[in-house]
Amino acid sequence: LKVEIRFEIEEGEVRTENEVRIAQIRNEIVMLLSSKRMTAVESPDGKKLLQDEIFNRVNKVLVTGSVKRVFFTEFVIQ
């Protein structure tokens, strides 16, 4: 699975915190993605569920604010 993700976040402190915690955020996403089966993320519903799970995991990491939305800008399954 190759995926690119973008977050919609507020300006200010949460943007700075996102930059500081990027390794922790990436780790959460990698751990989540590695736990998924291909069949679970192939369908539009599966992708939407994955977006929701990423949203929740990233927002658990952030303290000063939160991610508003998660976008997949690339999603390739091989």
Side-chain angles (χ1 to χ4, degrees):
L1 176 65
K2 180 181 179 187
V3 77
E4 277 191 33
I5 301 168
R6 297 283 185 249
F7 301 119
E8 180 181 335
I9 57 177
E10 297 175 8
E11 293 292 327
E13 289 183 27
V14 71
R15 184 171 296 278
T16 302
E17 181 183 15
N18 182 54
E19 293 169 5
V20 169
R21 295 182 182 270
I22 194 67
Q24 191 176 359
I25 290 168
R26 285 182 182 204
N27 181 67
E28 287 292 325
I29 293 169
V30 167
M31 296 303 286
L32 175 62
L33 293 175
S34 64
S35 73
K36 297 293 181 182
R37 294 189 177 272
M38 183 177 70
T39 55
V41 296
E42 286 180 315
S43 70
D45 288 340
K47 289 177 181 75
K48 178 61 179 142
L49 179 61
L50 182 59
Q51 276 181 314
D52 293 344
E53 290 175 308
I54 291 170
F55 175 86
N56 290 329
R57 289 215 183 183
V58 171
N59 282 327
K60 284 182 184 177
V61 171
L62 298 174
V63 176
T64 61
S66 63
V67 167
K68 291 180 180 180
R69 292 192 295 177
V70 175
F71 300 100
F72 292 127
T73 56
E74 183 175 359
F75 202 99
V76 179
I77 300 173
Q78 294 183 335

